[in-house]
Amino acid sequence: MSSAEQTPLSGTEQTPVSGTEQTPVSGTEQTPRPIRLTAAAAVAGVEALGLVAGGVYMLVNALTGSPGDLTGALTGAVTLLALGLIPLAAARGLWLCRSWSRGPAVITQILALPVAWQMLQANSAMIPAGAVLGVLALTGLVLLVNPATTEALGIRRPGQGTP
């Protein structure tokens, strides 16, 4: 046996036995993610899913159906798909406790409010969707401006000194 095999491993040295085994994080432990931050990430994720689903629906409908304006339908579909990336990135950032993610998430919630209002004004099946979107947007805003969320993201309030 070599000398490396004979010496016991210290607490920070670990050799994985298999590719699926994970070594524990050494050093500092992460604080648990607040439930409000998890919920805000979920809200942004649901909104992203809705935008992407709408974009895919419009794209499939434009390619298989007979839209009056193919260019307009494709543009709308691509726009919804691209807009879905913003809350998706924000949801991932919130899940990983990244401070940059609060900005895109807040902007998404603010932009969703007038869209929800217009959907509520329609005389169609869009009314329930508008209600759901409005509730999601308001819930997301409340969760994102909550002090526990801002603290977990490392965002200091005005007037707060440096640690």
Side-chain angles (χ1 to χ4, degrees), residues 104-130:
V106 167
I107 290 170
T108 300
Q109 306 315 314
I110 291 171
L111 291 175
L113 288 173
V115 173
W117 179 256
Q118 288 300 315
M119 291 170 78
L120 287 170
Q121 302 303 312
N123 289 327
S124 67
M126 297 305 280
I127 293 173

Side-chain angles (χ1 to χ4, degrees), residues 12 14 30 40 75 83 89 99 126 129-130 154:
T12 58
Q14 296 206 359
Q30 288 185 338
T75 301
L83 286 175
S99 62
M126 297 305 280

Side-chain angles (χ1 to χ4, degrees), residues 16-29:
V17 176
S18 69
T20 59
E21 191 174 311
Q22 296 180 1
T23 57
V25 177
S26 62
T28 62
E29 291 184 21

Side-chain angles (χ1 to χ4, degrees), residues 9-72:
L9 296 174
S10 69
T12 58
E13 299 174 342
Q14 296 206 359
T15 55
V17 176
S18 69
T20 59
E21 191 174 311
Q22 296 180 1
T23 57
V25 177
S26 62
T28 62
E29 291 184 21
Q30 288 185 338
T31 59
R33 181 184 319 105
I35 190 72
R36 288 180 178 99
L37 187 57
T38 303
V43 166
V46 167
E47 290 171 340
L49 182 65
L51 284 166
V52 170
V56 168
Y57 172 78
M58 286 181 70
L59 184 63
V60 169
N61 195 27
L63 296 176
T64 61
S66 57
D69 180 19
L70 180 63
T71 305

